[in-house]
């Protein structure tokens, strides 16, 4: 089954304790991205990656890091989490260009990770 | 600064009503506009629009884009309680380097009463 998976789904942590949220897709997609969703602010893109070893900042990258060492995985790293990073996080991946009948821009979202930083 | 504005923020209707959700945008190098439905989980794709004046339809849902006036509408006819969700509008901006970024609106929360 084609899917995007995230782990963990729920996480409670304390300020300053490094954490990693994993994201994996089994569709051989090149483009992957991370979002955070906050009430009244909608979905905001944190980082995105066009392919292996290619990453770019989105609208709200401060306090986050990413890596793309292999196509299927795109982990989100919070080196020193703070309470203002409490949010709902989504990973997403996009179909590759050139696939017949598939829109490149349509994103497949993971199930979300709800993070609480105390 | 790129932005996407959705209205209304929230809407409560009765089953059978027709609703219109609005999305206006100011995004450099517009590529496409997407509509998503989000229930208590991840957003699911509804429509992608790239050309003005061409209506996309899927059952009771339809959407159209006006690139001159920079807006899109999502219509839902004969609403059902299962349509209750947050509807998200996103615009994709595209640059000459081949990268694209997503700008989401804050969503319209629709509640359909039985």
């Amino acid at each position: 089954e084609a899917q995007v998976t995230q782990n963990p789904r729920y996480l409670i942590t304390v300020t300053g304790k490094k954490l990693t949220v994993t994201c994996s897709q089994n569709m051989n997609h090149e483009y992957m991205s991370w979002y955070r969703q906050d009430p009244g602010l909608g979905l905001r893109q944190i980082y995105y990656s066009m392919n292996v070893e290619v990453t770019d900042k989105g609208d709200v990258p401060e306090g986050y890091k990413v890596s793309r060492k292999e196509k299927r995985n795109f982990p989100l790293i919070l080196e020193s989490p703070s309470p203002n990073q409490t949010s709902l996080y989504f990973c997403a991946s996009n179909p590759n260009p050139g696939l017949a009948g598939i829109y490149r821009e349509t994103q497949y979202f993971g199930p979300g990770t709800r993070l609480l930083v105390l | 600064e790129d932005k996407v504005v959705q209205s209304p923020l929230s809407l409560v209707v009765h089953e059978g009503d027709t609703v219109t959700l609005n999305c206006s945008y100011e995004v450099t190098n517009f590529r496409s506009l997407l509509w998503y439905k989000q229930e208590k989980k991840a957003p699911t794709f509804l429509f992608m629009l790239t050309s003005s004046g061409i209506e996309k339809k899927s059952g009771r849902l339809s959407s159209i884009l006006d690139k001159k006036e920079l807006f899109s509408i999502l219509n839902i006819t004969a609403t059902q309680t299962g349509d209750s969700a947050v509807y998200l509008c996103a615009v994709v901006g595209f640059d000459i380097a081949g990268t694209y970024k997503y700008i989401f609106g804050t969503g319209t929360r629709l509640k359909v009463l039985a």
Side-chain angles (χ1 to χ4, degrees):
Chain A
E1 180 189 352
Q3 60 181 350
V4 179
T5 57
Q6 293 178 229
N7 281 294
R9 295 289 310 280
Y10 301 91
L11 179 60
I12 301 174
T13 190
V14 295
T15 299
K17 186 174 182 181
K18 180 179 178 180
L19 66 92
T20 299
V21 184
T22 64
C23 173
S24 183
Q25 49 90 8
N26 61 359
M27 297 168 279
N28 200 38
H29 287 172
E30 291 171 353
Y31 186 102
M32 296 184 73
S33 53
W34 274 103
Y35 294 88
R36 61 178 290 174
Q37 187 173 34
D38 303 288
L41 296 176
L43 276 160
R44 293 178 292 168
Q45 198 171 34
I46 303 171
Y47 269 95
Y48 60 97
S49 169
M50 295 292 288
N51 212 326
V52 175
E53 302 292 1
V54 180
T55 62
D56 277 296
K57 296 178 181 178
D59 293 322
V60 288
E62 295 77 21
Y64 305 94
K65 286 174 58 177
V66 293
S67 69
R68 190 86 182 276
K69 292 184 168 56
E70 47 190 344
K71 190 180 278 191
R72 65 182 293 124
N73 295 322
F74 190 44
L76 179 70
I77 303 154
L78 284 71
E79 294 271 3
S80 183
S82 62
N84 65 11
Q85 292 178 298
T86 293
S87 188
L88 176 60
Y89 291 87
F90 288 104
C91 178
S93 72
N94 291 37
N96 299 335
L99 295 175
I102 301 293
Y103 296 128
R104 179 184 184 185
E105 291 97 311
T106 58
Q107 294 185 300
Y108 294 80
F109 282 88
T113 295
R114 193 167 289 279
L115 172 65
L116 173 61
V117 183
L118 300 173
Chain B
E1 182 184 342
D2 294 337
K3 62 180 179 181
V4 174
V5 178
Q6 292 186 245
S7 63
L9 291 179
S10 184
L11 194 56
V12 179
V13 300
H14 288 93
E15 272 192 319
D17 288 349
T18 294
V19 298
T20 298
L21 310 182
N22 304 294
C23 175
S24 63
Y25 63 91
E26 292 178 28
V27 176
T28 53
N29 297 319
F30 173 92
R31 165 77 177 174
S32 57
L33 185 146
L34 301 101
W35 285 97
Y36 292 87
K37 178 181 182 182
Q38 185 177 24
E39 297 168 274
K40 294 180 181 177
K41 49 188 177 179
T44 53
F45 172 76
L46 294 175
F47 298 111
M48 188 182 87
L49 302 144
T50 57
S51 302
S52 277
I54 298 176
E55 186 181 50
K56 294 284 184 85
K57 289 195 68 144
S58 177
R60 296 175 294 102
L61 277 67
S62 64
S63 184
I64 198 162
L65 173 67
D66 186 328
K67 289 170 73 173
K68 182 179 176 185
E69 300 296 330
L70 307 182
F71 78 92
S72 173
I73 60 172
L74 174 68
N75 278 320
I76 309 175
T77 59
T79 51
Q80 302 171 356
T81 55
D83 295 326
S84 296
V86 175
Y87 291 84
L88 299 170
C89 173
V91 174
V92 184
F94 199 58
D95 67 32
I96 58 173
T99 62
Y100 46 100
K101 293 170 63 172
Y102 291 76
I103 304 95
F104 277 80
T106 54
T108 293
R109 183 176 298 276
L110 172 65
K111 185 165 181 62
V112 182
L113 303 175

